[in-house]
């Protein structure tokens, strides 16, 4: 668990800890934070808990991290990584980073970078040979600051 | 299992079946086929079998398909898809297509398209709301023919 302190505009200390997602984070604004990224829909507590258990069953192969502001107990940022097991590259592994988002009230504090570094460090420790992610062209400079480079394009197909 | 017949240059019928990867496919040129995509390294039978079991333990959440030429027992094409479970979009799921490759001796038979459609159909049947993949700009037109559209860019970081 890593800590950092930031001073907000009132000069107060705000401690921001990065850690794995916990099942109680639904009450701390985790879904609302994802809602700043895309549509979240209506997820009941039961559905959340079931999905949490499904993801947890993958252990270190699917990690979701959050940054919590300790004073308020609010989730300020999140990101996830799923580790893919391949046959190529000596049965290598690849980390797929997804759903990185920082709460609009916490921007400008390098929390996005902390999330990406946390997920990247996890992949390195898991023996991945690379980590990849997809983003819009507008986010390219941010991810370059995180040490990633543009390698190709993303294609997608939405189902009805 | 889906079948198709192609006539080769000698007019012979070559039946090409698409199915899930089987552990015996290492002997049918599966690794050499991946070697047409990228570095495969040195993978022993034991390492292959262990990785096969690891991937198989994910069941329908990580599917690798192959197209086998029945007459020769050679693997002509392959592709994989890993299904990611999310909280957003009503606890939605996303299929990540990876490592699509057609043997150089089997190009021009639409096998790549069959692989992508097989993996895409799997994702749809698993309840995914979308399927995504990364590729080089040169492959964009091919994937557009498979029904995908360009949505963004891929960023990556290789570890030493």
């Amino acid at each position: 668990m890593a800590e950092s302190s930031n001073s907000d505009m009132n000069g107060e200390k705000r401690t921001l800890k990065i850690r794995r997602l916990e099942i109680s984070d639904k009450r701390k604004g985790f879904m609302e934070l994802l809602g700043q990224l895309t549509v979240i829909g209506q997820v009941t507590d039961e559905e959340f808990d079931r999905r949490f258990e499904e993801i947890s069953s993958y252990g270190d192969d699917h990690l979701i991290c959050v940054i919590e502001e300790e004073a308020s107990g609010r989730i300020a940022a999140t990101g996830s990584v799923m580790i893919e097991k391949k046959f190529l590259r000596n049965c290598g592994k690849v980390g797929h980073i997804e759903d990185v988002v920082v709460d609009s009230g916490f921007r400008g504090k390098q929390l996005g970078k902390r999330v990406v570094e946390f997920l990247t460090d996890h992949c390195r420790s898991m023996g991945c040979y690379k980590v990849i992610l997809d983003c819009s062209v507008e986010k390219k400079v941010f991810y370059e600051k995180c040490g990633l480079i543009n390698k190709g394009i993303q294609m997608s197909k939405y189902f009805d």
Side-chain angles (χ1 to χ4, degrees), chain A:
Chain A
M1 222 178 298
E3 255 183 65
S4 79
S5 292
N6 293 79
S7 295
D8 67 11
M9 288 191 298
N10 301 316
E12 289 172 55
K13 281 282 200 185
R14 304 207 297 183
T15 303
L16 295 153
K17 274 197 180 163
I18 192 162
R19 58 166 172 79
R20 282 183 186 230
L21 180 73
E22 295 169 3
I23 202 161
S24 56
D25 288 332
K26 185 170 193 288
R27 294 197 310 273
K28 295 181 174 179
F30 174 69
M31 293 300 289
E32 292 76 8
L33 176 57
L34 288 180
Q36 294 182 36
L37 186 70
T38 186
V39 177
I40 52 163
Q42 296 293 327
V43 175
T44 67
D45 287 351
E46 290 69 31
E47 287 164 340
F48 183 91
D49 292 356
R50 200 179 315 130
R51 181 48 46 100
F52 182 90
E53 294 302 340
E54 282 180 299
I55 294 172
S56 299
S57 74
Y58 295 125
D60 287 333
D61 290 337
H62 194 160
L63 181 148
I64 302 177
C65 76
V66 294
I67 295 181
E68 179 180 353
E69 183 189 43
E70 292 216 297
S72 65
R74 298 298 293 173
I75 304 299
T78 184
S80 75
V81 71
M82 184 174 50
I83 291 173
E84 179 204 2
K85 291 169 183 169
K86 292 180 181 280
F87 287 101
L88 52 79
R89 293 208 181 233
N90 289 302
C91 290
K93 293 192 275 193
V94 171
H96 295 248
I97 291 179
E98 289 279 328
D99 305 335
V100 175
V101 55
V102 177
D103 184 281
S104 56
F106 289 89
R107 305 245 165 104
K109 297 173 189 298
Q110 308 254 42
L111 300 192
K113 193 159 182 280
R114 272 180 74 191
V115 165
V116 174
E117 286 173 353
F118 186 88
L119 298 173
T120 302
D121 288 348
H122 177 71
C123 292
R124 192 189 283 107
S125 74
M126 289 290 289
C128 293
Y129 69 89
K130 71 173 176 180
V131 61
I132 61 173
L133 61 85
D134 298 320
C135 65
S136 60
V137 176
E138 294 75 40
K139 291 284 194 304
K140 182 170 175 276
V141 172
F142 165 71
Y143 284 113
E144 283 172 346
K145 287 179 185 162
C146 298
L148 288 86
I149 57 165
N150 181 211
K151 278 286 283 187
I153 59 172
Q154 184 207 6
M155 304 294 291
S156 68
K157 180 188 174 82
Y158 282 72
F159 301 123
D160 299 325

